[in-house]
Amino acid sequence: VRSRTFFLLALLVGAIVFGITVLIDNNYLFFAGYVVLQFIVLATAWNILGGYCGYVNFGSAAFFALGAYTSVAIHKLSPMPIPILIIAGGIISGIVGLGMGYLTLRLRGAFFAIATLAMAVVLQTLIINWDFVGGSRGAYVIRPNVVPVLDAYIQWPYIQYLFFLMLLLAIIAVTTARLIERSRLGFGFASIRDDELAAEASGVPTLRLKLIATTISGGLMGMAGAPFPYYIGYIEPAAAFGLSYAVNSIAMPMIGGTTSWIGPLVGAILLGTLQQVATVTISSAVNLLIVGVLLVAFVIIAPKGIVGLVEDRLRARGKR
Amino acid sequence: MDFSYELFINAIVAGLLLGAFYAAVTSGISLSFGILDIVNIAHPAFIILGSYIAYIVNQNLGLDPIVTCILMLPVFYTLGAAVYQVYYFSFEKRGQEALRGLAFFFGLLFITEVMLILVFGVDYRYVDASYIGPTWNVGFVALPLRMLVPCLVSLLLIALLQLWLTRTFTGRAVMAVAQDQLALQLMGADPVQIKRVAFGISIATAAVAGAFLIVIQPVEPSVGREYIGRVFAICVLGGMGSLPGTVIAAMLLGVVESFTATFYGPSWAPAVAFGFLLLTLAVRPAGLLGR
């Protein structure tokens, strides 16, 4: 399928999902759905660097929080429409990703991974010490109840508006990932993942490609974080930098499968839904444990993830 | 804050004491990451595990935390050897250590932390020992015993480790395994077995570091995260796999952190290690005593 057709199809699927959610007319569904969609964006973003290039980013939470705190900072100065905040969050996180990548990507992959892990701690320290965005006390972001559309003729409940934006963002992220996968850029990324030295020797501009991947990946994570303060209403560093974002954005692609755009999508939907159910029925600590155990189990037993398992099964059937 | 000579000297001494503790925390990483090239980001989780074991034994049997951890060394060694065995068969043998191996250790780190939270909650835990309260005063220099005891034991531990690495056959084989596996095999040593021994010892050091940690400060499950940046910063700055380099780098970081805490406030201290790491990676990736 051509990319434009794919995008239109994705929009159609999105419209159907949105339509069904509106028809069911249960506010909880919007709140839960928003979180799952947010994880789709994060997992897809992580996979652009992690799955395609083979570089592990442990700082997803930091990029996410950077987007969220960009929104808070702008909100304190003068409130702006959320789409603008999303773009601003994306730009800031993208720039930080580029800077981090520039300093560490010239070295071995492990250094980049460690640096992202450490970066999360440092950014959290900075935010805790920055009183303007609430410091360690956190900040309240009061959101209106409804959004006026078409000069206030139709009133749109705010959570539906946020859900809609996140749905759009998820569609854009997945389409971008698919586009990259099938372009020259994607082949370049794959060559880095498979054998960086050989790629370099064949004239692939590895550093530039890695920087592009880091920037796109970080930018998308920041975009996912930008509407977060409006969703949650009260933001504090420990919540925004929560380890659950970091572990989920790694676990979801790993469980789904890292080589194509379907993997993170499948992983995010399955794991995201599972966690929403587990949080309500058991407890939030137990659901994090489930994610951790699943991650370890999958990387040991099924390195190609669910998508890999299904493909193997189909291939085996085809041979028979 | 106005500058005072006494404060200055005290900050340096406190930093050196802290640095010796950091050296103990990092020595395991210097072995696993520096020499064996295994990016064990779960190391701080093993340290916290050591802290909690010291805490349980101390609360129930009243045993000294540092004695406890020395008794725990074989257990942690076995644990480390087991983890390496899983790592080797699942990732190293298949050549997948870069992406999935890292995710594996990240998962271990995460599971350990969440399990500790589920069992013990997020309350801070501490131990009782005779040397936790008192402070020796040498002139105007304060030497808190709860820092001094871990400092001395830590330096002893690292000296023993260095002797083992340079004077015994197995130790030299560990140094060799990173350089040339084939040559090692020709000398009649099994690289996998050597790596398993070395990784086991690296995890065993975590038991000792964990006991020091809970002597120095109260511990809760997520404290380990603060140490990830520190240990890798020290390991890289010291020069991968060089124990003397690790000690120097750890002391350096300890002093700088101590100054930051004294003159700017303790909430900035975690950022220092990261600055160190980025600076080292950007300017001299081989580290201070790197080859």
Side-chain angles (χ1 to χ4, degrees):
Chain A
V1 192
R2 296 267 308 277
S3 285
R4 195 178 299 159
T5 330
F6 178 83
F7 184 59
L8 293 177
L9 273 176
L11 278 182
L12 187 69
V13 173
I16 294 170
V17 169
F18 189 71
I20 292 174
T21 324
V22 171
L23 280 181
I24 294 175
D25 195 30
N26 180 341
N27 255 347
Y28 171 71
L29 213 54
F30 281 104
F31 279 99
Y34 176 89
V35 176
V36 175
L37 288 169
Q38 176 181 289
F39 278 133
I40 293 180
V41 181
L42 281 175
T44 306
W46 186 88
N47 203 43
I48 289 176
L49 186 64
Y52 297 170
C53 291
Y55 277 79
V56 183
N57 176 3
F58 288 115
S60 312
F63 289 106
F64 177 84
L66 210 55
Y69 270 100
T70 307
S71 284
V72 173
I74 296 176
H75 181 85
K76 295 259 166 174
L77 289 172
S78 74
M80 295 241 189
I82 295 182
I84 293 177
L85 295 179
I86 292 181
I87 291 167
I91 290 173
I92 298 280
S93 290
I95 290 173
V96 170
L98 183 68
M100 278 284 303
Y102 189 75
L103 281 178
T104 55
L105 279 175
R106 280 171 298 176
L107 305 159
R108 291 189 308 134
F111 286 129
F112 174 74
I114 295 161
T116 53
L117 207 54
M119 183 191 72
V121 176
V122 173
L123 276 180
Q124 191 170 357
T125 310
L126 287 181
I127 297 290
I128 285 174
N129 286 296
W130 192 18
D131 280 331
F132 180 67
V133 293
S136 56
R137 281 173 292 109
Y140 287 93
V141 175
I142 311 295
R143 62 160 191 243
N145 252 334
V146 288
V147 187
V149 186
L150 295 173
D151 290 333
Y153 284 125
I154 315 165
Q155 302 271 303
W156 209 5
Y158 210 82
I159 183 64
Q160 291 197 16
Y161 174 56
L162 286 175
F163 180 87
F164 173 78
L165 284 176
M166 200 42 95
L167 188 63
L168 205 61
L169 204 56
I171 291 170
I172 292 172
V174 172
T175 314
T176 311
R178 190 176 174 277
L179 195 68
I180 289 174
E181 208 178 302
R182 287 155 190 250
S183 64
R184 271 176 68 91
L185 199 62
F187 296 137
F189 288 174
S191 73
I192 293 174
R193 178 188 59 205
D194 294 337
D195 192 334
E196 189 160 347
L197 204 63
E200 182 81 54
S202 322
V204 177
T206 52
L207 179 64
R208 199 193 307 157
L209 289 187
K210 284 187 284 186
L211 289 178
I212 292 173
T214 321
T215 313
I216 296 176
S217 173
L220 278 173
M221 286 174 183
M223 287 167 108
F228 184 67
Y230 291 85
Y231 170 78
I232 197 111
Y234 163 70
I235 188 164
E236 50 118 5
F241 285 91
L243 202 54
S244 89
Y245 294 110
V247 77
N248 269 310
S249 35
I250 294 170
M252 285 164 175
M254 286 284 179
I255 290 169
T258 50
T259 44
S260 78
W261 59 273
I262 311 175
L265 184 67
V266 169
I269 292 174
L270 281 181
L271 217 54
T273 317
L274 177 75
Q275 283 183 72
Q276 283 302 314
V277 175
T279 310
V280 178
T281 52
I282 318 171
S283 83
S284 57
V286 174
N287 98 50
L288 287 181
L289 187 63
I290 295 173
V291 177
V293 172
L294 276 178
L295 171 64
V296 170
F298 263 87
V299 292
I300 293 177
I301 300 163
K304 284 191 261 172
I306 293 172
V307 171
L309 287 180
V310 172
E311 272 175 356
D312 287 352
R313 181 65 57 81
L314 288 180
R315 205 168 298 150
R317 192 172 294 169
K319 271 183 190 158
R320 224 183 291 153
Chain B
M1 183 182 294
D2 44 16
F3 186 83
S4 95
Y5 180 63
E6 293 177 13
L7 195 64
F8 183 77
I9 298 290
N10 266 308
I12 287 186
V13 172
L16 289 176
L17 291 174
L18 189 66
F21 160 65
Y22 285 168
V25 174
T26 315
S27 58
I29 286 283
S30 290
L31 261 180
S32 58
F33 178 53
I35 297 178
L36 305 178
D37 211 20
I38 300 171
V39 192
N40 178 19
I41 47 172
H43 196 78
F46 289 108
I47 292 173
I48 303 294
L49 200 64
S51 296
Y52 271 86
I53 290 173
Y55 161 76
I56 297 167
V57 174
N58 183 265
Q59 291 297 305
N60 294 321
L61 305 173
L63 210 59
D64 181 85
I66 293 179
V67 173
T68 310
C69 75
I70 289 169
L71 294 176
M72 289 307 290
L73 284 177
V75 179
F76 270 66
Y77 173 80
T78 318
L79 183 67
V83 168
Y84 178 72
Q85 205 65 8
V86 173
Y87 176 79
Y88 172 71
F89 281 110
S90 309
F91 310 106
E92 219 167 50
K93 209 174 167 187
R94 299 188 204 154
Q96 290 189 322
E97 60 262 42
L99 184 65
R100 281 167 231 293
L102 267 174
F104 166 72
F105 281 119
F106 188 65
L108 278 190
L109 167 81
F110 193 70
I111 292 174
T112 316
E113 188 178 321
V114 174
M115 291 275 261
L116 286 174
I117 290 177
L118 282 174
V119 177
F120 295 99
V122 291
D123 302 330
Y124 278 95
R125 308 285 172 167
Y126 50 88
V127 288
D128 303 312
S130 55
Y131 46 81
I132 285 182
T135 298
W136 286 353
N137 286 303
V138 182
F140 56 80
V141 179
L143 291 170
L145 282 191
R146 72 180 166 82
M147 300 295 291
L148 192 61
V149 171
C151 167
L152 296 176
V153 182
S154 156
L155 292 178
L156 182 68
L157 173 91
I158 290 170
L160 284 176
L161 211 55
Q162 178 71 7
L163 276 180
W164 177 72
L165 276 178
T166 49
R167 296 292 154 84
T168 65
F169 180 78
T170 326
R172 287 178 181 173
V174 171
M175 301 282 271
V177 80
Q179 293 178 8
D180 196 337
Q181 297 214 359
L182 186 67
L184 186 66
Q185 276 171 316
L186 295 176
M187 296 296 114
D190 174 10
V192 178
Q193 193 197 342
I194 295 292
K195 281 186 166 185
R196 186 167 58 231
V197 170
F199 195 77
I201 289 177
S202 90
I203 297 300
T205 66
V208 184
F212 293 165
L213 176 64
I214 201 162
V215 166
I216 288 176
Q217 65 169 78
V219 169
E220 56 107 6
S222 69
V223 164
R225 250 182 278 159
E226 288 175 22
Y227 285 89
I228 296 175
R230 279 194 194 120
V231 292
F232 282 100
I234 293 169
C235 181
V236 174
L237 178 65
M240 308 280 288
S242 155
L243 282 180
T246 300
V247 175
I248 296 172
M251 298 264 182
L252 204 60
L253 181 69
V255 170
V256 176
E257 269 193 16
S258 166
F259 270 101
T260 317
T262 312
F263 297 106
Y264 295 96
S267 61
W268 285 105
V272 175
F274 184 69
F276 258 68
L277 181 64
L278 278 190
L279 210 68
T280 317
L281 288 180
V283 180
R284 185 174 158 75
L288 291 176
L289 299 188
R291 280 172 299 223

